[in-house]
Amino acid sequence: MTERQVPIRAMVVDDETPGRLNLRYALAGFPEWQLLAECSSAEQARAQWAVSPCDVAFLDIQMPGESGLKLARELSALAHPPVIVFVTAYERYAVEAFEAHALDYLLKPFDDERLAQTLARASSMLALRQGSYAEVLRRSLEAIETPASSYLDRITVRSVGAIESVDLGDIHFLSASGNYVSLHLEHRIVLHRATLSHMATLLDPRTFIRVHRSYLVRRQQMQQLRVTGDGTYALTLRNGSQVAVSSRYVDAVRAVLTLS
């Protein structure tokens, strides 16, 4: 991959003056970034884009008239949309939804370290705009606005310089790794930025079952349960893996094995 030429051109869209000023002053500390425009509405941002498209758009979500999500949907329809970073004061549960779909965000108020992380991610994603980013952005925006009663059928995973859509049908089990989850596929493991507890709310319980605070397992992968100690259990999967089962979930695991 060739190294990107600077500057990275940015646009800030926020109906509140303090929000625009905060990002202006914060971005001034990063010489490779150029702030092209500060817009107070989606309409103003649309006009600015027609004159001078940007590389990265920082969009406030809650704005009078058109929301940042609505503007993002419009930008996602472009052949080469900007990398989208949502700037939000949303509650944490809503922010986790962004993480599950690899949409980056800044949670107000943010500090210099968090901004630097976001800028680094945005910079690494610019190379994807010519290929997969537009499609991934469209899918992610559709998913983020799907009613809560619907479950994921794929997970969008972002890493440095790459973005991947993982089909739920390819995942054997998920394990907790701090603020990340490991997606265990047939021949590899993919690290995804989300908590296991949040992923449990996004996956169909008819397909995945919680067997431990650290594991979610595909029901079809469950093969054998055995006792490993006083109140401890291990579940053998059809792919040969073994995961711990806690006493809290052992009855549910036995029920699945009995019916399978």
Side-chain angles (χ1 to χ4, degrees):
M1 182 187 302
T2 58
E3 188 172 328
R4 177 180 170 77
Q5 297 296 312
V6 295
I8 298 172
R9 300 166 301 167
M11 175 171 61
V12 173
V13 185
D14 192 327
D15 64 297
E16 296 182 346
T17 301
R20 299 193 300 273
L21 289 177
N22 285 343
L23 265 172
R24 180 205 301 175
Y25 294 140
L27 287 173
F30 297 84
E32 67 274 26
W33 285 74
Q34 177 188 3
L35 183 56
L36 289 182
E38 300 173 33
C39 305
S40 60
S41 66
E43 181 180 5
Q44 196 176 83
R46 197 176 292 113
Q48 170 62 32
W49 179 273
V51 175
S52 182
C54 65
D55 300 309
V56 179
F58 295 88
L59 307 182
D60 186 24
I61 292 179
Q62 295 177 306
M63 297 188 294
E66 296 180 69
S67 71
L69 284 171
K70 184 175 181 181
L71 177 59
R73 284 200 307 273
E74 184 175 326
L75 293 174
S76 75
L78 300 172
H80 303 297
V83 169
I84 300 293
V85 176
F86 289 108
V87 184
T88 177
Y90 268 27
E91 296 292 337
R92 181 65 192 176
Y93 76 88
V95 168
E96 286 182 340
F98 297 150
E99 293 177 337
H101 299 284
L103 294 173
D104 214 349
Y105 68 94
L106 279 170
L107 184 62
K108 298 177 181 178
F110 55 85
D111 56 26
D112 291 343
E113 181 179 0
R114 181 65 180 89
L115 176 64
Q117 292 174 354
T118 296
L119 297 186
R121 291 184 189 125
S123 180
S124 70
M125 292 178 73
L126 286 175
L128 301 171
R129 289 197 307 165
Q130 301 301 318
S132 61
Y133 181 74
E135 178 61 26
V136 167
L137 177 60
R138 284 191 286 271
R139 286 184 178 180
S140 296
L141 289 168
E142 289 171 1
I144 203 72
E145 296 174 309
T146 299
S149 58
S150 299
Y151 297 107
L152 296 180
D153 59 4
R154 62 182 62 247
I155 299 174
T156 304
V157 180
R158 180 185 57 215
S159 58
V160 177
I163 196 162
E164 176 182 4
S165 185
V166 177
D167 194 307
L168 263 292
D170 295 332
I171 300 175
H172 292 176
F173 68 100
L174 302 85
S175 61
S177 301
N179 290 324
Y180 289 76
V181 292
S182 295
L183 310 178
H184 296 258
L185 312 180
E186 183 69 30
H187 299 295
R188 62 194 179 104
I189 297 174
V190 177
L191 198 63
H192 177 52
R193 191 181 69 177
T195 63
L196 191 70
S197 292
H198 183 64
M199 291 305 301
T201 68
L202 300 175
L203 302 180
D204 191 338
R206 296 169 298 182
T207 304
F208 287 90
I209 181 173
R210 190 78 176 254
V211 302
H212 190 275
R213 66 180 182 181
S214 298
Y215 297 103
L216 280 164
V217 175
R218 175 176 292 280
R219 288 172 178 261
Q220 293 178 340
Q221 275 290 319
M222 297 166 60
Q223 185 173 52
Q224 183 183 52
L225 178 69
R226 62 187 178 86
V227 179
T228 56
D230 185 14
T232 62
Y233 307 84
L235 178 65
T236 300
L237 307 186
R238 298 187 186 281
N239 67 359
S241 300
Q242 286 195 352
V243 300
V245 177
S246 67
S247 57
R248 176 182 178 183
Y249 301 104
V250 68
D251 288 342
V253 170
R254 284 184 176 132
V256 173
L257 290 172
T258 300
L259 293 172
S260 62

